[in-house]
Every structure is written in structure tokens, then in C-alpha cells.
Amino acid sequence: MEYTVQKLAQLAGVSTRTLRYYDEIGLLEPARKNSAGYRIYGGKEIDKLQQILFYRELGLDLDNIKNIVNDPAFDGPAALRSHRKKLLERRRQLDLLINNVETTISAAEGESKMADNEKFEGFKQKLIDDNEQHYGKEIREKYGDDTVDKSNAKMLNMSSEKYEEFRRLEQEVRDTLAEACEMGDPAGELGQKTAALHKEWLSFTWPAYSKEAHAGLAQMYVDDERFAAYYDKACAGAAQFLRDAIVIYTAVEPDSVYGK
């Protein structure tokens, strides 16, 4: 069956403007245009639009989606299986949070008791799942499954006080990094304070600390654009600044870290 822009927009629940924009940027082109110049979409385009909307729902930007779905090696069924896995993970996260809310309500109304550590289980599991989804492959390849599993277990076993301190310290690292970036000296007082705070933050989840692992992780922040984007929110070049500060703090030879 074939659809015009308007009919496909109604079918998919998107605007006609969105479909026209997808065509303009080469993300979803129509199968053809009829004699009147109207865009016509067929089954192939409908399947592609479904994939695009799945990826949008999972938070990918249009440039990344375009690269994925327009790749000649794109495997539709494999992508659907991947979507299903990620959506099930999201459902599990939501179920944990819903259960947490329901248990909290029950405790607040005096129908049950809730241990302090239970109040944060859903949030901690969501943090772990998000990290696994975005960075799990790279982290596991670098440090091994055993280390990552122990780190996740340490996170889940945090007391409420520890978890609150962990999140507070995470924010302090970002704030101090922003201040240190303005000073521009990774070896300076603020730069080294940032590195020390980062080490303290890692100690909440790392099974054991080593200077080499710390410096290696800092290098990953520079090499991986997702990590770099997270830290570069503090200021332009913040990931590299943090890497340099940590290399100085750990006194690891730069050449061994930079891979020269």
C-alpha cells in the first residue's frame, strides 16, 4: 500500500512537516513522486520510518540515526531485536521505580516499613542500566566483566547515606572541573583538587583503586566522544583538561597514557 505525506503522517502519528524535513536531510526519502509532485511512500519507507521512530524514542539524534539506517549493511530484524532489548531494559527500570514509589507510599501510610537502602534501589539500578547501555561494551572490554560486575554490586549495596554522598560528589567534581578549566592549569591547585575529587568519587564504586587504571579511564574520557561530551559541558576541552590533571595527579608517564 502507498501513502501520501499526509496519510503517512496520520498513520505514524508524526507531522507532515517532520516527514518533509526527513526527506530534505536525506533521512527518509519517498519511494517516488507522482505526476502532481506529491511524495509517495511505500512499504520499504514505512518500515524505515518505524526504525527511525524507534531510535528517536531511544534518544538518538537524527545524524546518528541517518548513519545507521542508511548504512548498506543495516540489518532491520537485528535492529528490531536490539530495540526490544533496550525497551525491555527501560520497562524494567520503570517497574523498579514504580515499585519504589508504591513501597514508599505504603511505608508513609504506615502499612509497611521501608529500609533506608530500599528507598534508592530503583535509582541505583537505573544508573547502572544507563551506564551499561551507553558505555558497557567499552568499559567491559577495558576492565573485564569481573571488575565491572563487582563495581555494579558495590553500587547496589550502597547505603542511602553513601549513595547521597556519591551523587553529591559527582556534582562537586563537575563544578570544580568548571572552575579549574577557567584557571587553565591542570597542575594548579584547582586542577589537582578536581583529580583528587575524581579519585574519591571512583572509590564509591571501584573494587580497588590503581593509579594506572585512573589514568587509563581519564584517557578514555578523551578518546570516546560520549565521555568527552559529558565532561565538555563544564567548558570546552574539559575532558582533555581532566585527563591532564589526572595524569599529573597519578604521576603516570604521559607517553604510556597517550599511547605514543
Side-chain angles (χ1 to χ4, degrees):
M1 188 170 181
E2 293 186 329
Y3 297 85
T4 61
V5 167
Q6 186 172 7
K7 289 183 178 179
L8 181 56
Q10 293 173 347
L11 177 71
V14 299
S15 68
T16 56
R17 182 178 179 182
T18 294
L19 293 177
R20 292 189 179 96
Y21 180 66
Y22 286 176
D23 182 13
E24 290 172 9
I25 65 174
L27 175 57
L28 178 67
E29 297 176 352
R32 61 184 178 86
K33 289 186 178 180
N34 64 16
S35 58
Y38 290 107
R39 296 173 174 87
I40 303 297
Y41 298 85
K44 181 180 177 182
E45 290 71 40
I46 292 170
D47 289 344
K48 189 174 183 180
L49 177 58
Q50 184 193 41
Q51 292 283 6
I52 292 168
L53 296 180
F54 274 134
Y55 281 119
R56 289 293 285 164
E57 184 64 26
L58 293 170
L60 274 70
D61 61 51
L62 293 179
D63 284 338
N64 281 329
I65 297 173
K66 180 180 176 180
N67 290 334
I68 293 170
V69 299
N70 287 344
D71 187 330
F74 178 72
D75 186 335
L80 288 170
R81 285 191 291 270
S82 177
H83 295 326
R84 181 179 183 276
K85 180 182 177 182
K86 291 176 181 178
L87 290 170
L88 287 172
E89 289 173 353
R90 180 179 293 182
R91 185 173 72 179
R92 185 164 67 90
Q93 292 174 357
L94 289 173
D95 286 343
L96 282 168
L97 292 173
I98 291 170
N99 182 67
N100 191 283
V101 170
E102 290 175 344
T103 305
T104 303
I105 292 172
S106 177
E109 294 177 346
E111 297 176 0
S112 64
K113 291 185 178 181
M114 189 178 193
D116 286 344
N117 65 309
E118 292 181 295
K119 297 176 182 178
F120 297 92
E121 284 182 355
F123 300 107
K124 289 186 287 187
Q125 186 63 58
K126 184 178 186 301
L127 181 61
I128 289 172
D129 291 343
D130 286 346
N131 285 338
E132 285 282 358
Q133 179 180 336
H134 291 101
Y135 315 116
K137 182 176 182 291
E138 292 80 4
I139 294 295
R140 287 181 178 277
E141 287 178 353
K142 187 173 184 66
Y143 296 105
D145 289 338
D146 184 61
T147 298
V148 175
D149 290 342
K150 286 180 178 177
S151 177
N152 290 343
K154 194 172 181 181
M155 164 72 78
L156 287 173
N157 290 326
M158 275 186 198
S159 66
S160 58
E161 293 80 8
K162 282 283 188 181
Y163 179 72
E164 289 176 1
E165 177 65 12
F166 171 75
R167 298 313 298 264
R168 184 202 64 75
L169 190 58
E170 182 180 20
Q171 185 61 52
E172 187 177 356
V173 170
R174 291 199 296 263
D175 293 343
T176 308
L177 176 60
E179 294 180 33
C181 280
E182 291 184 7
M183 300 300 293
D185 182 9
E189 182 179 351
L190 275 177
Q192 290 304 286
K193 179 182 178 181
T194 303
L197 287 170
H198 192 265
K199 174 188 175 182
E200 185 180 351
W201 176 70
L202 290 176
S203 71
F204 279 81
T205 56
W206 276 20
Y209 175 84
S210 77
K211 293 179 178 180
E212 291 76 13
H214 193 184
L217 180 64
Q219 182 60 37
M220 185 184 292
Y221 291 163
V222 175
D223 294 339
D224 191 307
E225 62 182 15
R226 295 165 301 174
F227 284 109
Y230 172 80
Y231 283 104
D232 284 353
K233 291 176 183 177
C235 70
Q240 184 171 338
F241 181 94
L242 179 60
R243 188 274 311 278
D244 293 345
I246 290 172
V247 167
I248 295 167
Y249 178 81
T250 58
V252 174
E253 288 295 326
D255 284 357
S256 68
V257 176
Y258 301 162
K260 295 180 182 177

